[in-house]
Amino acid sequence: MSAYLAVLRAGRLGWLELATLVGRLPIGISGLALVLFLKEETGSFATGGAVSGGMALGIGLGAPLMGRWVDRRGTGVLMVLATIHASGILALVFLGKASAPTALMVVVAVVTGGAFPPSPSVLRARFPALLRDRPDLMQSAYALDSVLLELSFVTAPLVVAAVVAVLDPAAALVVGSAAAIGGTAMFLALLPAGAAIEPHEGERDWLGPLRSPAIRALVVTMLPVGFGIGAVEVSLPAFSEAEGHRELAGVLLATWSIGSAAGGFVYGVRPRGGSVARAHFLFALLLPLGFLPALLAPSIPLMAFLIVPAGIFIAPLIATRNELASSVAPPGTATEALTWPLTALVGGIAIGASVGGALADAEGWRMVLVAAFAAAAMGAAVAGSRRSTLAAATA
């Protein structure tokens, strides 16, 4: 715990992490609030799902492009992106109330998601500068960031639930829009002048950070890992429905996220005892094994217990991935380098959720978990095959 307290006190990191936590709430808020809002306005879950999916697609595809823009133009562009993103959310509220065509709302959602400001990636990229006097805290800083990411997935749905209970889903979207502006403004105000990213006018390779073999290795590794996570996200609602308690799916998902946060917390306070590349491979190897206990779940209470191992290694894997990406990024590409593995992870989650849904309908929830195990095991195999590349890049 002392390591985390030291991180929070170093270089305004505590306040900066709070700012990014607020700034990324719109991701979780919009995903749920759009479904609820458009169901209320159109009577269709399909419309809400399509628009919500468009937002997620835009965030995944736009992250590397926005990261490159920040690397080249400096952190000042974050406020421009936040304004575009917030305006897009409000435009979707207007379009929904105006009964606009679904296709138009999906397009607006993709653009809105694509403009999401990558403040969390900017912060991760600046950890070395912010902790230049305390390099021993680097592991804990990346671990804390991954823990807060998991907590944002728990917090955002609770914010939506509270606002919807008091007002309505449209109000929750307005809150998400305000969070995008407020969190980004707070982040920029707190970022020390010496840690801000200045415009980079160096060599401009169209591949950007992907010209690094280590970054490519992380991207290839995270795609099957994302598939496994997406499949688990579907297996838990399918299990809950099979048990006759579909309303408890959210509880199981929250338990899974809490397990991930706990794993990240423990990772951050224990000495690593080896290189970050070695730790990354170890967590990639353990992740699929954590999916297996849930196959034995006979009831909701036991599933809440058995799904915890499936989450324990997610946050540590993400923490080591971010630390690796930050350390091997070519000069002038740090922000974009951190977005590419994230995009691969999000893309894998989307594919895993889609395939998992089809498997759940055809074969049941256990087969979805088997697919999650197989995909995560493939990710571990890829991580193993690229281990020397990552080790050499960080040596």
Side-chain angles (χ1 to χ4, degrees), residues 256 286-287 289-291 293 305-313:
W256 183 38
L286 292 172
L287 180 66
L289 300 179
F291 293 162
F305 174 74
L306 293 173
I307 198 61
V308 170
I312 285 177
F313 304 110

Tab-separated table of all heavy atoms in Angstrom, residues 256 286-287 289-291 293 305-313:
chain	number	residue	atom	x	y	z
A	256	TRP	N	-16.400	-10.331	-11.466
A	256	TRP	CA	-15.281	-10.591	-12.372
A	256	TRP	C	-14.352	-9.373	-12.442
A	256	TRP	O	-13.126	-9.503	-12.338
A	256	TRP	CB	-15.846	-10.943	-13.750
A	256	TRP	CG	-14.856	-11.309	-14.791
A	256	TRP	CD1	-13.708	-12.039	-14.644
A	256	TRP	CD2	-14.937	-10.968	-16.180
A	256	TRP	NE1	-13.074	-12.184	-15.854
A	256	TRP	CE2	-13.801	-11.547	-16.811
A	256	TRP	CE3	-15.849	-10.260	-16.955
A	256	TRP	CZ2	-13.572	-11.402	-18.174
A	256	TRP	CZ3	-15.610	-10.126	-18.315
A	256	TRP	CH2	-14.490	-10.696	-18.913
A	286	LEU	N	-1.012	-17.534	-17.450
A	286	LEU	CA	-1.949	-17.842	-16.366
A	286	LEU	C	-3.391	-17.467	-16.702
A	286	LEU	O	-4.331	-18.074	-16.172
A	286	LEU	CB	-1.520	-17.117	-15.088
A	286	LEU	CG	-0.225	-17.595	-14.435
A	286	LEU	CD1	0.172	-16.666	-13.290
A	286	LEU	CD2	-0.375	-19.025	-13.928
A	287	LEU	N	-3.552	-16.473	-17.576
A	287	LEU	CA	-4.906	-15.994	-17.877
A	287	LEU	C	-5.863	-17.095	-18.332
A	287	LEU	O	-6.958	-17.241	-17.770
A	287	LEU	CB	-4.848	-14.870	-18.912
A	287	LEU	CG	-6.202	-14.285	-19.320
A	287	LEU	CD1	-6.856	-13.565	-18.143
A	287	LEU	CD2	-6.040	-13.332	-20.505
A	289	LEU	N	-5.782	-20.274	-17.839
A	289	LEU	CA	-6.008	-21.231	-16.756
A	289	LEU	C	-7.057	-20.703	-15.781
A	289	LEU	O	-7.818	-21.477	-15.183
A	289	LEU	CB	-4.702	-21.516	-16.020
A	289	LEU	CG	-3.575	-22.111	-16.873
A	289	LEU	CD1	-2.325	-22.320	-16.018
A	289	LEU	CD2	-4.020	-23.434	-17.502
A	290	GLY	N	-7.103	-19.377	-15.627
A	290	GLY	CA	-8.091	-18.777	-14.741
A	290	GLY	C	-9.517	-18.927	-15.230
A	290	GLY	O	-10.471	-18.821	-14.444
A	291	PHE	N	-9.702	-19.203	-16.537
A	291	PHE	CA	-11.049	-19.375	-17.081
A	291	PHE	C	-11.644	-20.749	-16.751
A	291	PHE	O	-12.865	-20.927	-16.789
A	291	PHE	CB	-11.043	-19.214	-18.614
A	291	PHE	CG	-10.725	-17.824	-19.086
A	291	PHE	CD1	-10.320	-17.602	-20.392
A	291	PHE	CD2	-10.817	-16.739	-18.233
A	291	PHE	CE1	-10.034	-16.326	-20.856
A	291	PHE	CE2	-10.533	-15.449	-18.677
A	291	PHE	CZ	-10.141	-15.248	-19.989
A	293	PRO	N	-11.886	-22.799	-13.900
A	293	PRO	CA	-12.752	-23.109	-12.745
A	293	PRO	C	-14.224	-22.794	-12.978
A	293	PRO	O	-15.101	-23.501	-12.475
A	293	PRO	CB	-12.170	-22.238	-11.624
A	293	PRO	CG	-10.739	-22.078	-11.988
A	293	PRO	CD	-10.730	-21.982	-13.480
A	305	PHE	N	-18.002	-17.023	-7.107
A	305	PHE	CA	-16.715	-17.380	-6.506
A	305	PHE	C	-15.733	-17.881	-7.572
A	305	PHE	O	-14.566	-17.489	-7.604
A	305	PHE	CB	-16.926	-18.428	-5.427
A	305	PHE	CG	-15.662	-18.981	-4.842
A	305	PHE	CD1	-14.895	-18.229	-3.966
A	305	PHE	CD2	-15.226	-20.252	-5.178
A	305	PHE	CE1	-13.707	-18.730	-3.434
A	305	PHE	CE2	-14.056	-20.769	-4.660
A	305	PHE	CZ	-13.296	-20.002	-3.784
A	306	LEU	N	-16.211	-18.738	-8.461
A	306	LEU	CA	-15.328	-19.390	-9.428
A	306	LEU	C	-14.920	-18.480	-10.585
A	306	LEU	O	-13.948	-18.775	-11.295
A	306	LEU	CB	-16.010	-20.648	-9.977
A	306	LEU	CG	-16.225	-21.780	-8.957
A	306	LEU	CD1	-17.064	-22.898	-9.567
A	306	LEU	CD2	-14.877	-22.329	-8.478
A	307	ILE	N	-15.656	-17.376	-10.799
A	307	ILE	CA	-15.295	-16.480	-11.901
A	307	ILE	C	-14.171	-15.528	-11.498
A	307	ILE	O	-13.530	-14.903	-12.356
A	307	ILE	CB	-16.530	-15.671	-12.367
A	307	ILE	CG1	-16.292	-15.077	-13.765
A	307	ILE	CG2	-16.868	-14.556	-11.379
A	307	ILE	CD1	-16.048	-16.093	-14.856
A	308	VAL	N	-13.878	-15.442	-10.210
A	308	VAL	CA	-12.819	-14.536	-9.739
A	308	VAL	C	-11.466	-14.856	-10.370
A	308	VAL	O	-10.762	-13.950	-10.837
A	308	VAL	CB	-12.735	-14.544	-8.200
A	308	VAL	CG1	-11.489	-13.802	-7.718
A	308	VAL	CG2	-13.979	-13.918	-7.599
A	309	PRO	N	-11.039	-16.145	-10.436
A	309	PRO	CA	-9.749	-16.432	-11.078
A	309	PRO	C	-9.685	-15.976	-12.540
A	309	PRO	O	-8.598	-15.685	-13.049
A	309	PRO	CB	-9.639	-17.959	-10.987
A	309	PRO	CG	-10.471	-18.317	-9.799
A	309	PRO	CD	-11.629	-17.369	-9.827
A	310	ALA	N	-10.838	-15.910	-13.205
A	310	ALA	CA	-10.854	-15.467	-14.601
A	310	ALA	C	-10.517	-13.987	-14.726
A	310	ALA	O	-10.160	-13.512	-15.815
A	310	ALA	CB	-12.228	-15.743	-15.224
A	311	GLY	N	-10.647	-13.242	-13.617
A	311	GLY	CA	-10.342	-11.816	-13.661
A	311	GLY	C	-8.993	-11.452	-13.085
A	311	GLY	O	-8.417	-10.425	-13.436
A	312	ILE	N	-8.464	-12.288	-12.206
A	312	ILE	CA	-7.272	-11.926	-11.429
A	312	ILE	C	-6.088	-11.503	-12.297
A	312	ILE	O	-5.341	-10.584	-11.940
A	312	ILE	CB	-6.870	-13.109	-10.519
A	312	ILE	CG1	-7.833	-13.193	-9.330
A	312	ILE	CG2	-5.440	-12.963	-10.026
A	312	ILE	CD1	-7.574	-14.369	-8.416
A	313	PHE	N	-5.914	-12.127	-13.451
A	313	PHE	CA	-4.705	-11.870	-14.233
A	313	PHE	C	-4.914	-10.840	-15.344
A	313	PHE	O	-3.968	-10.510	-16.064
A	313	PHE	CB	-4.183	-13.179	-14.832
A	313	PHE	CG	-3.916	-14.226	-13.791
A	313	PHE	CD1	-4.721	-15.358	-13.688
A	313	PHE	CD2	-2.879	-14.068	-12.882
A	313	PHE	CE1	-4.500	-16.311	-12.710
A	313	PHE	CE2	-2.644	-15.017	-11.895
A	313	PHE	CZ	-3.456	-16.139	-11.808
